[in-house]
Amino acid sequence: NAGVTQTPKFQVLKTGQSMTLQCAQDMNHNSMYWYRQDPGMGLRLIYYSASEGTTDKGEVPNGYNVSRLNKREFSLRLESAAPSQTSVYFCASSDGTAITGELFFGEGSRLTVL
Amino acid sequence: KQEVTQIPAALSVPEGENLVLNCSFTDSAIYNLQWFRQDPGKGLTSLLLIQSSQREQTSGRLNASLDKSSGRSTLYIAASQPGDSATYLCAVSGSGSRLTFGEGTQLTVNP
């Protein structure tokens, strides 16, 4: 049972380059989330999607865009990467919303922006 | 704004000891509280989910309690094992489908 799958696991970018982080879940969950984890800051919500076709900003959305391609897939795009976006990115999903449902996380994508 | 604090930041115990991890939050208007485990270089694994109407949840050697009025939760680990070594995070849910995470307690269980 794969759960939540993220790709790539590691990526190094130069300032100004763009990239997309991919996330897919096979649990038929309605809600999907993108978080970033930084030392001393904890996990912070970037964007979330409560259902297919909808997306909403989280706590730190600036510099990012998202696409809920279908019920399974939720991608995160960095249009012009900055060193401040060096972080570990986690995708998560839940049945229902974070208010009611248990959250399942992917293994993370470690991004370094030089 | 909800703030979640976990104390201590790090804890080292000998194998077999019972231990308690603490989580406090500033806004008692929560829907639920979750405890997660994170191993180095890995994602988060959900351990226990407590709804706001519940007082505690148990899973194996783990027991989590919730006191909304005082803004506190505890995670009790019985008979700790080296395999329990990890970072434990708590998260509380509020409005807007958002979870607020604490920074975690890094637990080391020594053989």
Side-chain angles (χ1 to χ4, degrees), chain B residues 32 49-57 65-68:
Chain B
N32 64 41
L49 168 66
I50 310 176
Q51 300 293 350
S52 62
S53 59
Q54 297 174 317
R55 296 282 294 181
E56 65 178 333
Q57 281 283 352
S65 67
L66 174 63
D67 184 344
K68 269 183 56 176

Side-chain angles (χ1 to χ4, degrees), chain B residues 21-88:
Chain B
L21 306 180
N22 297 295
C23 172
S24 61
F25 46 95
T26 55
D27 185 352
S28 62
I30 66 170
Y31 293 95
N32 64 41
L33 183 145
Q34 297 186 49
W35 281 94
F36 295 89
R37 168 185 173 137
Q38 185 175 27
D39 293 287
K42 300 292 186 181
L44 282 70
T45 300
S46 179
L47 297 173
L48 290 164
L49 168 66
I50 310 176
Q51 300 293 350
S52 62
S53 59
Q54 297 174 317
R55 296 282 294 181
E56 65 178 333
Q57 281 283 352
T58 298
S59 176
R61 294 183 294 108
L62 305 180
N63 175 276
S65 67
L66 174 63
D67 184 344
K68 269 183 56 176
S69 61
S70 67
R72 293 182 181 179
S73 177
T74 61
L75 179 66
Y76 174 83
I77 302 177
S80 58
Q81 303 170 358
D84 294 330
S85 297
T87 297
Y88 291 80

